[in-house]
Amino acid sequence: MVEIDDNLLAQFHDPRLALPLVRRLQDTVIKEPLRLMHVCGTHEHALAKAGLRSLLPPHMRLVAGPGCPVCVCPAGDIDLALQACAVSKVILTTFGDMFRVPSGDTSLEVKKAEGNDIRVVYSPWDAVNLARQNPGSEVVFMAVGFETTAGPIAASLLDDPPPNFSIISSLRLVPPALRLLLDSGDGTLDGFILPGHVSTVLGRTGYLFLETEYQVPGVIAGFEPLDLLRGILGLVSQIAQGPPFRVENLYKRAVSEEGNRKARELMARIFQTTDSNWRGIGRIPRSGLLLREEYSRLDAVSKFGLKYNQEAVDVLPGCICHLVIMGEAESEDCPLFGKQCTPRRPFGPCMVSSEGTCRARYQYRTV
Amino acid sequence: MCLAIPMKVAKIDGLRAVVVSGGIEKEIRLDLLEDVRVGEYVLIHTGYAIEKLDPEEALETIDLIKQVYQAGRSGLPEEHA
């Protein structure tokens, strides 16, 4: 029996094995210039950490798209959480990444410093348990994430949570964002590196619209340096060969053809899709998850009469997060990057989450 | 955000399980998967196993990469070969 141990995983970042992949990449003849996009914060983190972009030929660019759920969570959603934590006896819970994301001139971190009960949880299950342990309080969970996270959240909501538990849903779906990028773009996007862990839910078949409706190549890639190099090479090889373009799964140890059907079933039982606002992008049709009518008791927005603030400012003056999120600018193009905007004092959302593009670029920047 | 960690299933009790990796033990939920067995590898995200990992596929991927390595080896400078 093969063990997935450190010995096996170490091979996925062996520089000696990377070299021939890089050489193949450099030898592949393609049109110039080539613009590829990934849509995953974990991919950005891995790319920046291993310095893989420095290995790409100069005419080949791999830009970061809207792949960080924390970064695309609009100020209006955070404002709902800020309202909830001001309600008497509410314990607000959320993932650590959300804690410092700005909404106007405040954040959950600031509200906690002001005395509100805000707690970071690792799992939605922890938030439900907190509600069980505190029957005299109301526990509100700020639910942020893509498909990967929506599955666990759906499971925790279907596991008979107590009546003092509710959520603010800020869950979003990746395929509608890919459609928007292709529909609204200038046609210079040549292919997608598809997000490995979102793909565990969607499967390869979740992206077939890229083949049938858009004829754009896509490769599902894992997160080790060699996974990513192989993904880029797979994409470039397809482009070199020309159409018909297809969706290829190069992360087969984790992603199946059909994806995780059970996770999708649980999500569909409790959520319905809705048009959703993405920070820096705007409204994307059917890209958000809303609790179904029959589960409205779990909806903190109706439970506490929270009002959506349409005026909440998503992009502060001077910040170019909206361009970075769409892959239209690099973090380094921003005059605030590394100066007024650092992980210690983030100005825009892309610097907050550990998977924000600016944060990853800052953390692994070279001198 | 979508970070997921491969861990090995050590114990199962209904929808709860204990998984281990590098000496770390963690209690997780199995609500999203069917037929998980002790000894199998799963990807853990926010306290839930989101998918099983296939060790044979992992090995096959490495083998494919090694084939590229072997094919490219002859043309490489000595210190890299």
Side-chain angles (χ1 to χ4, degrees), chain A residues 3 11 123 253 260 355, chain B residues 1-2 41 46 50 54 66:
Chain A
E3 297 286 328
Q11 297 186 58
S123 167
R253 65 183 183 277
N260 187 337
E355 303 200 339
Chain B
M1 184 87 194
C2 292
Y41 288 90
T46 64
I50 55 166
D54 185 339
K66 282 181 177 165

Side-chain angles (χ1 to χ4, degrees), chain A residues 216-248:
Chain A
V216 166
V219 171
I220 298 168
F223 298 93
E224 302 298 339
L226 291 193
D227 282 323
L228 274 161
L229 270 181
R230 219 172 140 241
I232 298 165
L233 182 60
L235 205 49
V236 172
S237 304
Q238 272 201 52
I239 293 164
Q241 282 163 24
F245 294 123
R246 52 192 201 284
V247 176
E248 193 178 3

Side-chain angles (χ1 to χ4, degrees), chain B residues 50-69:
Chain B
I50 55 166
E51 190 51 280
K52 288 187 192 183
L53 276 173
D54 185 339
E56 300 293 339
E57 286 287 357
L59 200 64
E60 200 178 312
T61 301
I62 281 295
D63 283 344
L64 284 168
I65 292 170
K66 282 181 177 165
Q67 282 172 27
V68 178
Y69 175 68

Side-chain angles (χ1 to χ4, degrees), chain A residues 126-319:
Chain A
D126 296 340
V128 172
N129 281 337
L130 191 67
R132 289 201 180 101
Q133 291 153 11
N134 294 276
S137 298
E138 283 288 338
V139 172
V140 177
F141 177 59
M142 170 82 184
V144 179
F146 289 151
E147 285 87 343
T148 324
T149 320
I153 289 171
S156 68
L157 295 178
L158 289 164
D159 189 30
D160 195 26
N164 62 330
F165 180 80
S166 57
I167 69 160
I168 296 167
S169 176
S170 187
L171 296 165
R172 289 179 173 76
L173 305 173
V174 168
L178 299 182
R179 285 177 180 277
L180 179 100
L181 285 160
L182 293 167
D183 289 337
S184 69
D186 53 6
T188 62
L189 202 52
D190 296 297
F192 286 112
I193 298 288
L194 297 165
H197 291 146
V198 165
S199 304
T200 62
V201 181
L202 296 177
R204 193 188 73 88
T205 51
Y207 303 102
L208 286 180
F209 67 96
L210 292 177
E211 292 181 2
T212 55
E213 294 177 46
Y214 292 94
Q215 258 303 290
V216 166
V219 171
I220 298 168
F223 298 93
E224 302 298 339
L226 291 193
D227 282 323
L228 274 161
L229 270 181
R230 219 172 140 241
I232 298 165
L233 182 60
L235 205 49
V236 172
S237 304
Q238 272 201 52
I239 293 164
Q241 282 163 24
F245 294 123
R246 52 192 201 284
V247 176
E248 193 178 3
N249 180 8
L250 291 183
Y251 190 32
K252 284 190 181 161
R253 65 183 183 277
V255 176
S256 64
E257 180 72 4
E258 302 283 336
N260 187 337
R261 224 180 269 228
K262 192 170 179 194
R264 292 201 305 271
E265 269 169 28
L266 297 187
M267 282 158 64
R269 205 181 301 165
I270 200 147
F271 295 118
Q272 62 189 61
T273 56
T274 179
D275 296 352
S276 174
N277 190 25
W278 295 47
R279 189 188 287 239
I281 299 177
R283 215 154 190 78
I284 304 183
R286 299 170 61 87
S287 67
L289 292 178
L290 191 71
L291 285 164
R292 288 188 182 280
E293 188 66 39
E294 53 271 41
Y295 291 98
S296 58
R297 66 178 184 281
L298 293 167
D299 181 12
V301 176
S302 57
K303 188 173 189 177
F304 301 108
L306 311 178
K307 296 274 178 289
Y308 200 87
N309 178 7
Q310 300 288 355
E311 308 297 312
V313 180
D314 273 338
V315 182
L316 296 169
C319 176

Side-chain angles (χ1 to χ4, degrees), chain A residues 68-75 78 97 100-103 279-280 313-316 319-322 325 341 346-359:
Chain A
C68 162
V70 170
C71 306
V72 298
C73 175
I78 294 166
D97 300 40
R100 299 170 71 193
V101 182
S103 172
R279 189 188 287 239
V313 180
D314 273 338
V315 182
L316 296 169
C319 176
I320 63 163
C321 269
H322 57 299
I325 283 169
C341 185
F347 194 77
C350 299
M351 187 59 93
V352 178
S353 167
S354 62
E355 303 200 339
T357 301
C358 298
R359 175 70 177 272

